[in-house]
Amino acid sequence: MIVYQETKEQFLIDVYNDEIDQKIEKQVYEKLHRKTSNSEYNSWMNSMPYMYKILNNDLIPKDCIIAIEYKVPNSNKRIDFMISGEDDHGRESAVIIELKQWKNVKKVTEKDGIVKTNFQNGYLVETIHPSYQAWSYVSLIQDYNEDVRKHKINLKPCAYLHNYRQTDSDDLMDLRYKYYLDRAPVFTRGDTEKLTEFISRYIKKGNPNVMAHIDGGKIKPSKSLQESLSNMLKGKQEFVLLDEQKITYEKALALSNKHLNQKQVYIIHGGPGTGKTVIAINMLVEMINQNKNAIYVTKNKAPREVYRKKLSDGGYRKVYIDNLFKGSGGFVNSIENNYDCIIVDESHRLNAKSGYYKNNGENQIKEIIHACKLAIFFVDDHQIVTTSDIGSSQEIKKWCEYYNATVYEDKLKSQFRCNGSDAYLSWVDNVLEIEETANDELNIDYDIRIFDNPVTLKNAIYEKNQIANRSRILAGYCWEWEKSGRNRADVHEIKIGDFSMSWNFNSTDTWAIDENSINQVGCIHTSQGLEFDYVGLIIGDDMRYENGKIVTDFFKRALSDKSISGLKKAYKENKESTLNWADIIIKNTYRTLMTCGQKGCYIYCTDAALNEYLKLRLEKSKEYVRKSEKTNY
């Protein structure tokens, strides 16, 4: 989606008449359904006159197309400024410009692609080098936009720091950034002619089809981590890290190279789809390449087994894989500081006790911090889904204090799942009454549907799965797990009218990628930490809609569900606190399942009132969008 799009000729008129900032603001309201912040508005006011000077030159054709605030595919990132047309050879081209109002830059020697600059608060803050940022956005477009590849559109990134004056000893142009500067040159104050010449090199005449191909291009299914893991361990760059992803990655590597007598703990917060696992695996690979004793840990067995299967298929030996990927209960008797770094994914799923009977050790967080010099915890407090999950950020900090560890903390904000839609995640939190996000707008490229019949939902997911075997049916744990027929296709535990299916078989630990898994229903334990193209979600009677409110009922969970172990006993002792705890677990479970799909989520609720409520909320969001589009700003 592009917020503002006009010919160069019209853009110059809009700037000349001091209307450009108001026009962009109006389009933000009409297309994105949000108000513009003061800082955002001021950035347009300050930067657009500089782009007027650049473009007000006959070297650049007046019918080339200008786009402002273009959404990068499969993310929530936006490109500041784009100019499209054709080059001398008739090839479709676009120049992508990252605009910055910075006045100073300090290099960061120990981190790749990172600089320091002053933002509004006046303090020097680490951030991405403008060349890296422009280059990474283009890389993402080239990875995901099929029309860009089909039409062989030549995308040329650059950055323009119109308030920044170069000096003889200039950190912005330091040799350590040469790789990115070569791919995305930087222009600064006084470079008007140079930037004009750069643009004119690739844009010789206008062609409205170029921007149409970029903006309307088909977005291919996103790369899957499980499919890319083998190449990543071989050193191939499968995912370009964006913005705060790159910052946290480089910060982790820098911390791993510190030689302190004190333990270090890095807590990285991130919601669904913020790329936690991709960053974690990238960290692991680079630390191994630096000959560090580093391992990846996750409590949930399902993703570890999927990674093992993919790496085995890629030719890696079992002993090598097992030394890289471990469960969270393997550090009970570890020697202190035995590892240089332990990277813990899905830290919220950590338990106190370890072992099959939960009778080993004291606390997995304590044991992990004890076993390494640097512990990195990726955590989302809203994904705690069982009574034994204790890995909250608060609990992690408690054990940091116990070990007198130096604590660092950052947050991932970029959204790369659900087609990069923060709006969908916000809507889910609002609808499930997890957070009051006040979000009734869903003008997004994400396929969410509410079905009246589970058979229809099943057929829709079967159809989606034929594309790449990357769609699955999931359900809340409200049906008993029949042990006697666990690996028999004729045993259907989940029965709703004419609909009947089996829970996933226990004969495999790689249900998420197995060829026949579409014929079985997965639950939170086989899907958390993994992602699919589409998910078909069956919400059971443990969540209903009564008296104008979402209600949860842990008594409707299956007796075989160990995730609520102990709740019935706790309920007898303290009814109110137990119900609150159960409410969090059930809502977090469905929130997690509703955000496993990269492209879409199809939902059926056994509670008719909840089904109708979700349909009304979805329709309300669409009506909100329709009214916004008709309203004069």
Side-chain angles (χ1 to χ4, degrees), residues 321-564:
I321 300 170
D322 290 345
N323 285 334
L324 289 183
F325 299 91
K326 293 185 179 294
S328 57
F331 305 95
V332 174
N333 299 312
S334 287
I335 300 170
E336 185 168 13
N337 294 337
N338 187 45
Y339 296 94
D340 293 318
C341 182
I342 298 178
I343 303 166
V344 189
D345 202 1
E346 308 282 341
S347 298
H348 35 271
R349 295 299 317 279
L350 294 175
N351 295 165
K353 299 288 186 177
S354 298
Y356 185 79
Y357 296 103
K358 297 289 190 292
N359 58 354
N360 292 330
E362 177 186 354
N363 183 288
Q364 290 182 351
I365 298 171
K366 177 186 178 183
E367 290 149 11
I368 287 168
I369 295 175
H370 175 83
C372 63
K373 301 171 186 175
L374 168 64
I376 301 173
F377 294 98
F378 288 88
V379 62
D380 177 7
D381 290 338
H382 285 319
Q383 288 197 58
I384 291 174
V385 296
T386 79
T387 54
S388 57
D389 293 350
I390 55 96
S392 67
S393 50
Q394 183 179 356
E395 182 74 7
I396 293 169
K397 289 176 184 178
K398 182 184 84 173
W399 291 108
C400 291
E401 187 176 344
Y402 176 87
Y403 278 103
N404 192 32
T406 302
V407 180
Y408 310 88
E409 201 165 0
D410 281 306
K411 185 174 184 178
L412 299 169
K413 298 177 182 178
S414 302
Q415 173 54 232
F416 298 93
R417 202 182 289 170
C418 306
N419 267 4
S421 173
D422 289 326
Y424 174 67
L425 295 181
S426 181
W427 184 82
V428 169
D429 284 344
N430 182 277
V431 166
L432 296 185
E433 298 172 4
I434 293 173
E435 288 186 358
E436 292 185 8
T437 58
N439 190 357
D440 268 321
E441 50 195 76
L442 268 178
N443 186 23
I444 57 173
D445 185 21
Y446 188 69
D447 189 4
I448 175 171
R449 306 184 201 177
I450 314 300
F451 286 76
D452 291 323
N453 188 306
V455 175
T456 312
L457 178 145
K458 174 184 175 181
N459 293 338
I461 292 298
Y462 269 48
E463 183 178 343
K464 293 296 183 184
N465 190 62
Q466 292 177 6
I467 300 171
N469 189 35
R470 293 201 59 212
S471 297
R472 293 292 182 268
I473 299 174
L474 308 174
Y477 207 154
C478 297
W479 292 268
E480 293 299 335
W481 191 298
E482 298 293 340
K483 292 182 179 179
S484 59
R486 269 316 327 121
N487 298 314
R488 289 172 48 189
D490 61 331
V491 176
H492 291 181
E493 298 98 331
I494 304 174
K495 296 179 181 180
I496 309 167
D498 294 334
F499 174 91
S500 66
M501 287 186 72
S502 304
W503 278 121
N504 54 272
F505 294 167
N506 63 3
S507 58
T508 177
D509 291 317
T510 54
W511 171 85
I513 58 173
D514 291 345
E515 186 175 348
N516 294 320
S517 292
I518 189 63
N519 298 312
Q520 303 150 29
V521 178
C523 64
I524 188 68
H525 308 302
T526 49
S527 57
Q528 189 173 23
L530 297 166
E531 58 189 24
F532 311 93
D533 282 349
Y534 287 83
V535 294
L537 173 60
I538 300 173
I539 297 177
D541 282 345
D542 59 342
M543 191 162 76
R544 305 188 297 273
Y545 190 71
E546 297 176 355
N547 300 318
K549 190 174 180 62
I550 295 278
V551 298
T552 56
D553 184 354
F554 75 89
F555 288 101
K556 294 296 184 180
R557 284 285 188 96
L559 295 175
S560 53
D561 180 13
K562 301 300 181 184
S563 64
I564 58 168

Side-chain angles (χ1 to χ4, degrees), residues 37 72 106 112 123 186 207 221 255 261 318 351-352 380 405-406 540 633:
S37 67
V72 180
K106 299 292 183 184
D112 175 68
Y123 296 103
V186 168
N207 181 346
L255 292 176
N261 293 324
K318 182 179 184 299
N351 295 165
D380 177 7
T406 302
Y633 182 74

Side-chain angles (χ1 to χ4, degrees), residues 591-618:
R591 176 185 187 264
T592 302
L593 295 176
M594 288 174 74
T595 54
C596 284
Q598 288 186 313
K599 292 193 162 298
C601 178
Y602 297 169
I603 300 171
Y604 167 78
C605 309
T606 56
D607 178 58
L610 180 59
N611 220 53
E612 285 304 308
Y613 167 71
L614 292 181
K615 283 199 291 185
L616 286 171
R617 286 299 301 267
L618 190 58

